[in-house]
C-alpha cells in the first residue's frame, strides 16, 4: 500500500481502524515531498519538520483519548495567500516576501481545530493574478502530467501538489476560476463555493466581491468533506452568510435520475479545443444514460462576462493593493530621497509586471471621467449576468460547460501575451461574477494524455446538487483508477 495514493476518506478510515498512525501518514508525505518537490516546485514554504512533530503529539493525544476529530493527523496544503499564524504568507510576491502572518485565517483556524497537519504553503500566481502560476516571484510550478506544461492558476501549486500526491488535499482561492482551471489542467477536483459560504477572513484580498476559498482534492467525496470543515458563518467577515450548517457528504447519492442539466450552446462554440468538446459530449451522453434530463439551452454571458470581470477585478485590486506602499505594509525600497520616491520605488520594485498591469488598469477604470464608462457599466452588466443565470436555474438544476477551452499549455507560450492568458478564464469568470458555486472534475484525457476538465455550475448555495452530479459521474467513469500523471508513475 502506498499511503500517498490514498484519498482522505480512505486515510480517515485507516486511522480510525488504527491501521495507520498520524506519524506514518505524515512521514509518507514528507518523503514524497523530498522525492518530487524539487522538480514540481509546488511549495513556497515547507513545514515538514513541524508536521512530523505535530503528528507525534497527535498520536500521543489519541492514545490518551484526548482527540475527538476523525480527521486528526491528516496532512493538508494551504495556498500562500491564506494566513497561517507564525508562518510566511507571501502571496508569491516580493512585496510580501518576508511577511509572517500574526494571526490565522478563519479557514486555517477551523483546520487547526480538527487537528489537521499543514505541510506547507503552496505556490501561486502573484497576488492570485494569473492563470498559469508563471507569475510567481519565487518559481514556476510544473504540471505533473507533463513537466513542460503549466499547472494552471492562480492555485497552480495547490492543484499540482494534490495531483502528484505531495498533499492529500489542499485549499485554494478562486477569483475568476483559480481553483477550477488548475484542477482541470491537473486532473483533480476543484470546488468554488457560493460567495459567502466560506469565510474570507485572513485571505489576502485580490478582488473582495469575487474571491472565495475552496477545496482542491483527489475526488468528490474529499471535496464534500473539506467543504464541511471550512464552511460556516464568521462574524469577522461581513460577507459571510449565516446559514444552517450542512453535511455535504450526505448529498453524494450516486443518482441523477430526473435531474435537469442545461448545456449552454454558446460555451461550446468558437475557440474550444475539439478534443475538449468531444470529451464533454461523451460526458453528456453518460449523464443521459444515468437518467438525467439533458437539454441544450442559451446562456449568452461568457463573452461579455470576461470584460466585465477584468474591469471589476482590476478596480478592486487597485483599491486592495493600495496598502502595500513600503510604509504601511510590504517591501520597502532602499533607493529613495523623498516620500514620493519611497512610494514609487517600493511599488515598482515590489510588484511583478502582471500585478502592475492590473493595478494600472483598475486605477484607470476608477478614475474621473472613466468611472461611468467602465466601472459603473461593468457593475450593470454584472447584474445582467446574475439575471441570466437566475433564468437558467428556473429551468435547470445544473449547467454543464467546459472548465477551460483548452488543456494545459506549454510553459512560456502565453505569459508574454496577457490577452491570450486572460482568455483561459472565459468559461469560469461568469460564475464568480454571479456568486455561484462551480466544480471542475476530470472527464478524460486528450490524445497527448493531458487531462480535460468538466465544469458543473449550480444555483446559489446548491453545493449539494453539483457535488452529487459530479460524484455520480465520477463513480461511473473512475478517472483516478484509469489515468494518472506521468510524473506519478
Amino acid at each position: 500500500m502506498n499511503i500517498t495514493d490514498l484519498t482522505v476518506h480512505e486515510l480517515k478510515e485507516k486511522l480510525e481502524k488504527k491501521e495507520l498512525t498520524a506519524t506514518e501518514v505524515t512521514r509518507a508525505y514528507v518523503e514524497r515531498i523530498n522525492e518530487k518537490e524539487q522538480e514540481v516546485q509546488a511549495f513556497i514554504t515547507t513545514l515538514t519538520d513541524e508536521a512530523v512533530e505535530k503528528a507525534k503529539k497527535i498520536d500521543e493525544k489519541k492514545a490518551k483519548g484526548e482527540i475527538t476529530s476523525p480527521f486528526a493527523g491528516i496532512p493538508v496544503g494551504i495556498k500562500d495567500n491564506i494566513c497561517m499564524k507564525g508562518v510566511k504568507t507571501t502571496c508569491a510576491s516580493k512585496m510580501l516576501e518576508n511577511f509572517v502572518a500574526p494571526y490565522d485565517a478563519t479557514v486555517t483556524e477551523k483546520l487547526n481545530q480538527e487537528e489537521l497537519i499543514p505541510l506547507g504553503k503552496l505556490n501561486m500566481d502573484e497576488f492570485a493574478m494569473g492563470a498559469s502560476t508563471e507569475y510567481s516571484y519565487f518559481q514556476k510550478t510544473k504540471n505533473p502530467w507533463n513537466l513542460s506544461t503549466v499547472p494552471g492558476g492562480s492555485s497552480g501549486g495547490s492543484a499540482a501538489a494534490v495531483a502528484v500526491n505531495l498533499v492529500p488535499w489542499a485549499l485554494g482561492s478562486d477569483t475568476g476560476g483559480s481553483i477550477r482551471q488548475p484542477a482541470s489542467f491537473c486532473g483533480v477536483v476543484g470546488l468554488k463555493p457560493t460567495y459567502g459560504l466560506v469565510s474570507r477572513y485572513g485571505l489576502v484580498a485580490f478582488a473582495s466581491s469575487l474571491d472565495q476559498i475552496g477545496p482542491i482534492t483527489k475526488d468528490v467525496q474529499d471535496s464534500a468533506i473539506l467543504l464541511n470543515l471550512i464552511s460556516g458563518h464568521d462574524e469577522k467577515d461581513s460577507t459571510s452568510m449565516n446559514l444552517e450548517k450542512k453535511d455535504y457528504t450526505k448529498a453524494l447519492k450516486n443518482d441523477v435520475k430526473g435531474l435537469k442539466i442545461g448545456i449552454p450552446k454558446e460555451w461550446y462554440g468558437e475557440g474550444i479545443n475539439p478534443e475538449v468538446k468531444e470529451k464533454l459530449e461523451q460526458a453528456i451522453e453518460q449523464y443521459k444514460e444515468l437518467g438525467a434530463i439533458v437539454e441544450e439551452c442559451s446562456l449568452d454571458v461568457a463573452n461579455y462576462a470576461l470584460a466585465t470581470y477584468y474591469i471589476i477585478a482590476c478596480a478592486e485590486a487597485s483599491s486592495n493593493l493600495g496598502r502595500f506602499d513600503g510604509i504601511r505594509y510590504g517591501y520597502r525600497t532602499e533607493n529613495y530621497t523623498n516620500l514620493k520616491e519611497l512610494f514609487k520605488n517600493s511599488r515598482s520594485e515590489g510588484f511583478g509586471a502582471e500585478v502592475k498591469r492590473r493595478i494600472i488598469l483598475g486605477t484607470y477604470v476608477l478614475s474621473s471621467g472613466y468611472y461611468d464608462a467602465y466601472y459603473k457599466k461593468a457593475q450593470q452588466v454584472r447584474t445582467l449576468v446574475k439575471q441570466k443565470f437566475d433564468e437558467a436555474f428556473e429551468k435547470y438544476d445544473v449547467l454543464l460547460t467546459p472548465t477551460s477551452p483548452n488543456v494545459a499549455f506549454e510553459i512560456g507560450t502565453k505569459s508574454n501575451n496577457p490577452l491570450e492568458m486572460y482568455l483561459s478564464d472565459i468559461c469560469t469568470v461568469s460564475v464568480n461574477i454571479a456568486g455561484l458555486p462551480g466544480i471542475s472534475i476530470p472527464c478524460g484525457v486528450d490524445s497527448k494524455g493531458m487531462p480535460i476538465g468538466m465544469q458543473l455550475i449550480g444555483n446559489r448555495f446548491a453545493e449539494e446538487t453539483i457535488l452529487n452530479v459530479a460524484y455520480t459521474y465520477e463513480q461511473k467513469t473512475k478517472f483516478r483508477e484509469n489515468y494518472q500523471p506521468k510524473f506519478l508513475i
Side-chain angles (χ1 to χ4, degrees):
M1 175 187 66
N2 189 339
I3 291 172
T4 60
D5 282 337
L6 300 173
T7 60
V8 169
H9 53 92
E10 289 167 341
L11 283 173
K12 171 180 169 274
E13 198 177 307
K14 291 194 180 293
L15 286 166
E16 283 174 341
K17 290 179 179 175
K18 298 186 177 173
E19 292 173 19
L20 287 173
T21 65
T23 307
E24 286 171 333
V25 172
T26 305
R27 281 210 165 114
Y29 274 99
V30 169
E31 283 170 24
R32 183 73 181 169
I33 290 167
N34 292 339
E35 180 193 347
K36 298 289 188 186
E37 166 60 14
Q38 198 170 355
E39 289 172 90
V40 177
Q41 297 189 306
F43 286 88
I44 290 176
T45 304
T46 53
L47 300 168
T48 49
D49 292 343
E50 297 90 333
V52 173
E53 283 305 308
K54 185 169 181 180
K56 288 176 185 172
K57 286 176 185 170
I58 286 169
D59 284 333
E60 287 169 14
K61 284 185 186 175
K62 275 188 175 179
K64 294 175 188 171
E66 294 173 4
I67 286 183
T68 54
S69 169
F71 301 101
I74 291 175
V76 64
I78 311 283
K79 186 176 178 180
D80 206 23
N81 59 348
I82 299 170
C83 288
M84 274 180 69
K85 189 176 182 179
V87 177
K88 278 188 183 181
T89 299
T90 70
C91 293
S93 178
K94 182 179 181 180
M95 183 59 81
L96 291 176
E97 185 177 6
N98 297 308
F99 172 67
V100 175
Y103 66 97
D104 277 317
T106 296
V107 289
T108 317
E109 206 173 276
K110 284 174 180 274
L111 298 186
N112 288 340
Q113 286 165 4
E114 297 292 334
E115 299 278 6
L116 265 66
I117 300 173
L119 286 168
K121 305 297 291 294
L122 294 156
N123 198 23
M124 55 186 280
D125 285 298
E126 185 182 2
F127 282 101
M129 298 180 193
S132 65
T133 315
E134 292 174 280
Y135 298 138
S136 168
Y137 170 68
F138 299 99
Q139 62 204 19
K140 291 178 173 65
T141 300
K142 318 294 190 300
N143 188 324
W145 291 77
N146 179 344
L147 295 177
S148 68
T149 64
V150 301
S154 63
S155 307
S158 298
V162 173
V164 78
N165 292 344
L166 301 182
V167 295
W169 55 5
L171 289 182
S173 69
D174 193 310
T175 307
S178 289
I179 286 173
R180 290 159 289 152
Q181 186 250 25
S184 171
F185 281 10
C186 292
V188 292
V189 176
L191 173 66
K192 182 257 166 202
T194 305
Y195 185 79
L197 185 65
V198 177
S199 172
R200 291 184 298 109
Y201 178 77
L203 171 70
V204 179
F206 161 16
S208 307
S209 74
L210 301 164
D211 298 339
Q212 192 65 128
I213 295 169
I216 295 177
T217 58
K218 293 178 183 179
D219 70 1
V220 176
Q221 190 174 339
D222 282 359
S223 197
I225 292 168
L226 191 46
L227 186 61
N228 280 348
L229 300 185
I230 63 173
S231 61
H233 179 60
D234 180 16
E235 289 179 356
K236 295 172 187 165
D237 175 5
S238 62
T239 60
S240 172
M241 299 297 287
N242 195 355
L243 302 167
E244 188 183 335
K245 190 78 175 158
K246 294 177 180 176
D247 179 358
Y248 292 100
T249 59
K250 288 181 179 173
L252 311 178
K253 294 170 182 167
N254 197 8
D255 180 16
V256 290
K257 288 185 184 70
L259 194 108
K260 288 188 174 178
I261 300 176
I263 312 294
K265 61 186 178 186
E266 292 86 358
W267 302 52
Y268 292 81
E270 192 184 343
I272 184 169
N273 179 317
E275 291 189 76
V276 171
K277 189 175 182 181
E278 183 191 336
K279 290 296 176 191
L280 285 160
E281 285 168 350
Q282 289 172 14
I284 289 163
E285 289 307 311
Q286 278 169 321
Y287 274 120
K288 288 178 183 174
E289 288 171 24
L290 290 162
I293 299 161
V294 182
E295 291 175 7
E296 189 180 82
C297 63
S298 178
L299 185 67
D300 188 16
V301 298
N303 287 329
Y304 50 84
L306 193 66
T308 302
Y309 167 80
Y310 276 100
I311 290 169
I312 294 170
C314 292
E316 293 185 14
S318 164
S319 175
N320 280 325
L321 271 61
R323 71 194 74 172
F324 303 115
D325 54 14
I327 292 179
R328 287 172 294 177
Y329 299 99
Y331 165 85
R332 180 182 290 192
T333 184
E334 294 178 0
N335 175 30
Y336 67 96
T337 54
N338 56 47
L339 189 62
K340 187 177 179 182
E341 278 185 11
L342 171 60
F343 281 132
K344 181 182 174 183
N345 294 344
S346 294
R347 288 170 70 80
S348 297
E349 294 165 23
F351 289 131
E354 181 59 28
V355 175
K356 288 178 196 170
R357 189 179 291 123
R358 298 199 194 195
I359 289 172
I360 290 166
L361 180 59
T363 306
Y364 176 79
V365 300
L366 289 174
S367 60
S368 177
Y370 298 102
Y371 180 93
D372 286 354
Y374 294 105
Y375 184 71
K376 185 181 176 184
K377 181 68 74 179
Q379 292 290 12
Q380 290 168 335
V381 176
R382 182 180 203 165
T383 303
L384 185 66
V385 170
K386 284 183 178 178
Q387 287 169 353
K388 293 266 189 184
F389 273 112
D390 288 344
E391 288 166 17
F393 287 119
E394 284 174 14
K395 297 178 190 172
Y396 304 106
D397 299 299
V398 168
L399 299 171
L400 190 158
T401 75
T403 306
S404 173
N406 292 296
V407 295
F409 46 87
E410 295 276 323
I411 292 169
T413 54
K414 294 188 181 181
S415 52
N416 294 321
N417 187 337
L419 197 58
E420 208 173 321
M421 187 74 85
Y422 296 166
L423 286 167
S424 300
D425 296 333
I426 196 161
C427 299
T428 51
V429 293
S430 53
V431 175
N432 299 75
I433 288 169
L436 301 170
I439 190 168
S440 176
I441 59 169
C443 64
V445 297
D446 71 357
S447 54
K448 292 180 180 174
M450 296 302 289
I452 292 167
M454 169 173 69
Q455 178 175 229
L456 299 163
I457 305 167
N459 207 346
R460 285 172 204 85
F461 304 106
E463 276 78 3
E464 290 159 297
T465 306
I466 60 170
L467 282 164
N468 180 49
V469 175
Y471 179 75
T472 307
Y473 177 81
E474 182 186 73
Q475 294 305 300
K476 169 85 173 166
T477 55
K478 305 284 185 191
F479 180 83
R480 283 189 75 240
E481 291 176 23
N482 296 320
Y483 305 102
Q484 55 182 332
K486 291 171 188 167
F487 199 56
L488 202 59
I489 301 164

